[in-house]
Amino acid sequence: MMRAMKLALALGVSTALAACAADGGEAPAYDWSDTSHDARIAELLSQMTVERKVAQLIMPDISTITPQDVATYRFGSILNGGNSGPGGNDEAPAEEWLALADTFWEASTQPQENGEPVIPVLWATDAVHGHSNIPGATIFPHNIGLGATRNAELMQRIGEATAAEIAVTGIDWTFAPTLAVATDDRWGRTYESFSEDTDLVSQLGEATIIGLQGDPASEGFLDQTRVLATAKHFFGDGGTGGMDRGDTRGDLEELKAVHAAPYRPAIDMGVQTVMASFSSVNGEKLHGSEDLLTGYLRGDLGFGGLVVGDWNGHGELEMCSNADCPESLLAGLDIFMVPEDWRGLYDNLLAQVQDGTIPMERLDEAVARILRVKLEYGLFDKPRPSERELAGQWDLLGGAEHRAIAREAVRQSLVLLKNDGVLPLASSARVLVTGPGADDIAMQSGGWSITWQGGGELENADFPGATSIFRGIADAVAEGGGSVELSDDGSFGVRPDVAVIVFGEEPYAEFVGDREDLAFRDEEGLELLRRFDEADIPTVAVFLSGRPMWMNRELALADAFVAAWLPGSEGQGIADVLVGTAEGEPRHDFTGKLSFTWPQACAPDSAGLFAFGEGWSYAEAPPARDFSTDCALLDADRAGQLRLYGRGLNAQVSAEVGGSELPNLVGAGNGLAVTAFDYQAQEDARRLAWTGQAALTFRLPEGFAVDPNGSLVLTYSLNTVPSGPVTLTGGESLDLTSTFTLGAGKGWRTARIPLACLGAGGWSELALRAGAGFTLEIAQVAMTPESFADSCEGPF
């Protein structure tokens, strides 16, 4: 029996399922104990050198490799990160993605001189709400909106459509779905979670996997119209108290019941890959947890596929670096996602196998699991990507049928929280549409849309075939003979019958999206609501967000309030529900229900204003209620607390160089380039490189009062002393040359600068000026009411 168990593990079959089969227990829908690939796997392993086996464990990013690298090393898999694309262009057209897929496939399948077996490479991508890296693809609502639909059948169709569009471009594997049970909405990845409810996440995650991979009981399972799916991030990523890469703590069995439960149905449906979480459970990083990755995932849950790491996640272990981490492999990781440092990791893993640090048995076990997934996917029998069944069928990419599914999903995701009789809008009415999200497809799509963080410099033209919310409303109103005016600032030529204000969170992804609280601070939509209220013009608030937020001020002012989440490319879906017939009768009713509790107060851990599962309709109007607009946190903001930069640019702060905007503090202007890099997390810090005299200018939020008794906190690092003056200017200039001279070459340091040294209050911009040759790395720029020093004589 023990010999059979060891063989089962080597071939990727769990002890739990092997024992289950032996004892006659009930098997899941997917049979992980199947041995049909065993002989082929054993044959391949016997013919592979150690060098080729190690290469199967390496997953580099396409931005750091060439086809020749693939031919030389024979990586098992590659990925494109959220900001990677063919030729370094993350907005490359779909044709270039397919051509590159061919190029990498050809490189991996060249005959080997020593007669070793040819093992094709797998290409993985983050298609988390449609094939959203590709211009022109259908972008479905993010998972938070899909959770509000509570429609598993719809999720399966979305999975099928997404798989088809991925297959059109020749890619094999998506890092989706996310099975996080987000229990603290301050987390920047809340919108990737279907719900705070474990059962709902389980149901929708399972349906998505069936859509992506096919039904394991059908002949179409993992055929050429399907792709490999990934259940992620195992496990507890949603329970870290709102902090990305944080620590989920508590009784282990209780944590499993909440956060790991969605993985069981996913595994039963044959999900072929699981991604380890960046986060920790009770202080132990998942990338280094043998108990959880091997004992629990493979033993108790019965997973027999491959475990892939997250972006340099192995490098976050205390004893590891991105290029050196045998501990993750020994814990149960099978594939290292190592975007840039793949050469060093390859060399170190090879040496560690040769010196016995990594037993050959463990190497073979990991490679066997990878081969098993490749065989199950039929990769050895598939032709080159461009010759596969759906490849190059560009009419499927963003095709009418897929967009219709996305539009249906938008309709079903909308949650009505208030309606004082203004909805539905008569299509014969005169409608004003305004607000920052009214005609902004990037904003309505959110993060992971064309680029990793989304938004920024993206324009509507970057989303061919998509429809903005304004355009959807305009088309619907035109059918009833009404008129629609789009206004950037809320002004109008002819008084409207009603104003629709579309506003919300600026796009973000992980790290950047973490928040200290749930108070919605952007007041652009609020000011529009106030103006229309004073003019006695009825209003409909359409809120775009990746999470529920405290916004009682807006709820109190609006005549109708709709939580639209991040609907994606099909803005008509909103108009389908908001705009009725010419007589004002509904065309579609609201069916969405909250998949997360909506906060009652702006402080963290507040009770619910709207409970999980609430949401109203035309048939059942929302009950009248009072909305308390008191928020001590907003008062604290006005009292001098402000984060300018920290894991991303504050959404209320803008940055520029010489008039050139730097979205999320990335970009270049005359004399200064700002790039993102990894400090403690993925792209969480910025490198400022001056090529001439230039100033990086932060513009503070309108109405923010600088506290002259407070401090500016700057976390920085630099290698060489400045060759010229470096100054910081608010109302007055302060020379920081001595501070940076002292800090040069000493690693990361924190300077605490009295704001009084930058002049009395009343200034609204903060500028850091230096000259050519100066390079500075920053991880935090913040204002605090606390005082740390009295003198304006540096160094600080």
Side-chain angles (χ1 to χ4, degrees), residues 67-85:
Q68 185 56 52
D69 291 327
V70 175
T72 300
Y73 287 87
R74 304 302 173 107
F75 307 119
S77 55
I78 58 176
L79 83 148
N80 64 279
N83 289 332
S84 299

Side-chain angles (χ1 to χ4, degrees), residues 178-182 187 192-195 201 232-233 237-238 259 263:
T178 298
L179 299 184
V181 180
W187 186 40
E192 295 185 48
S193 171
F194 291 112
S195 178
V201 172
K232 68 177 188 182
H233 309 82
D237 50 343
H259 296 286
Y263 288 86

Side-chain angles (χ1 to χ4, degrees), residues 54-199:
V54 169
Q56 287 295 307
L57 314 186
I58 304 293
M59 176 186 278
D61 187 86
I62 64 170
S63 65
T64 68
I65 57 171
T66 66
Q68 185 56 52
D69 291 327
V70 175
T72 300
Y73 287 87
R74 304 302 173 107
F75 307 119
S77 55
I78 58 176
L79 83 148
N80 64 279
N83 289 332
S84 299
N89 179 14
D90 55 7
E91 296 185 46
E95 292 83 356
E96 294 184 20
W97 292 80
L98 180 57
L100 187 60
D102 264 359
T103 302
F104 281 133
W105 183 89
E106 290 163 0
S108 73
T109 56
Q110 293 176 13
Q112 302 204 64
E113 294 179 0
N114 59 1
E116 278 193 80
V118 168
I119 301 173
V121 69
L122 286 169
W123 183 342
T125 190
D126 282 283
V128 297
H129 64 139
H131 198 15
S132 53
N133 285 307
I134 311 298
T138 308
I139 300 180
F140 294 92
H142 268 297
N143 285 353
I144 189 169
L146 297 176
T149 73
R150 305 190 172 212
N151 188 336
E153 186 273 336
L154 175 63
M155 285 307 310
Q156 184 170 332
R157 286 189 283 131
I158 289 173
E160 292 170 355
T162 300
E165 297 201 14
I166 296 170
V168 166
T169 61
I171 295 175
D172 306 287
W173 178 5
T174 176
F175 296 138
T178 298
L179 299 184
V181 180
T183 57
D184 190 323
D185 301 346
R186 295 175 298 173
W187 186 40
R189 305 188 79 158
T190 296
Y191 66 75
E192 295 185 48
S193 171
F194 291 112
S195 178
E196 65 188 34
D197 179 77
T198 299
D199 290 341

Side-chain angles (χ1 to χ4, degrees), residues 247-557:
D247 189 10
T248 299
R249 306 191 68 86
D251 177 82
L252 184 57
E253 294 308 311
E254 292 179 2
L255 294 180
K256 289 176 180 177
V258 173
H259 296 286
Y263 288 86
R264 189 175 296 278
I267 291 167
D268 287 351
M269 277 299 165
V271 67
Q272 293 293 296
T273 76
V274 167
M275 183 180 290
S277 179
F278 279 126
S279 57
S280 304
V281 170
N282 290 327
E284 183 180 33
K285 283 278 189 181
L286 264 298
H287 277 72
S289 176
E290 183 177 7
D291 286 344
L292 296 178
L293 289 185
T294 299
Y296 181 53
L297 177 61
R298 294 197 181 278
D300 295 347
L301 294 182
F303 179 61
L306 67 84
V307 176
V308 60
D310 209 336
W311 185 284
N312 286 333
H314 59 279
E316 296 189 5
L317 299 185
E318 184 176 351
M319 68 292 289
C320 292
S321 69
N322 293 345
D324 187 3
C325 194
E327 289 83 359
S328 275
L329 184 65
L330 295 174
L333 201 72
D334 300 311
I335 291 179
F336 292 85
M337 189 189 297
V338 55
E340 302 99 353
D341 298 305
W342 52 269
R343 281 188 180 89
L345 183 64
Y346 172 86
D347 290 341
N348 283 321
L349 286 173
L350 183 58
Q352 288 152 358
V353 172
Q354 292 170 338
D355 69 16
T357 301
I358 297 172
M360 183 62 71
E361 181 182 7
R362 174 65 190 112
L363 176 63
D364 283 349
E365 181 180 62
V367 176
R369 291 166 178 165
I370 296 166
L371 294 175
R372 186 186 192 284
V373 170
K374 290 186 174 186
L375 287 164
E376 190 72 353
Y377 177 56
L379 186 63
F380 290 85
D381 301 319
K382 283 182 167 70
R384 72 181 63 245
S386 63
E387 295 176 0
R388 297 174 189 172
E389 183 175 339
L390 300 183
Q393 294 190 28
W394 309 121
D395 58 330
L396 289 178
L397 191 73
E401 182 177 347
H402 295 170
R403 291 191 184 276
I405 296 172
R407 183 172 177 173
E408 177 185 356
V410 175
R411 286 198 300 267
Q412 294 189 27
S413 70
L414 303 177
V415 179
L416 181 65
L417 297 179
K418 182 180 181 181
N419 186 18
D420 290 344
V422 68
L423 288 176
L425 306 176
S427 56
S428 56
R430 182 181 294 113
V431 181
L432 181 74
V433 181
T434 187
D439 195 31
D440 191 333
I441 297 169
M443 184 173 177
Q444 72 190 45
S445 297
W448 291 108
S449 301
I450 306 300
T451 62
W452 174 37
Q453 293 291 329
E457 297 180 345
L458 293 173
E459 300 177 348
N460 285 357
D462 296 313
F463 300 84
T467 304
S468 72
I469 295 170
F470 155 71
R471 177 48 53 196
I473 292 174
D475 291 346
V477 170
E479 293 179 9
S483 64
V484 173
E485 180 181 355
L486 176 65
S487 173
D488 291 336
D489 59 5
S491 60
F492 49 83
V494 179
R495 180 182 174 88
D497 298 319
V498 63
V500 178
I501 302 98
V502 187
F503 64 103
E505 292 188 287
E506 292 293 328
Y508 56 81
E510 54 203 285
F511 319 126
V512 175
D514 286 0
R515 297 287 180 264
E516 294 180 1
D517 56 69
L518 293 175
F520 184 66
R521 289 168 166 80
D522 188 328
E523 296 192 352
E524 189 170 356
L526 179 63
E527 289 303 319
L528 289 168
L529 287 165
R530 285 170 174 162
R531 189 188 313 172
F532 294 123
D533 182 61
E534 291 171 359
D536 200 27
I537 295 173
T539 53
V540 178
V542 177
F543 185 54
L544 304 174
S545 73
R547 62 190 125 209
M549 302 195 76
W550 181 86
M551 46 195 328
N552 285 14
R553 297 176 298 174
E554 292 86 353
L555 277 160
L557 282 169

Side-chain angles (χ1 to χ4, degrees), residues 13-26:
V13 180
S14 75
T15 55
L17 283 175
C20 176
D23 296 339
E26 183 179 351

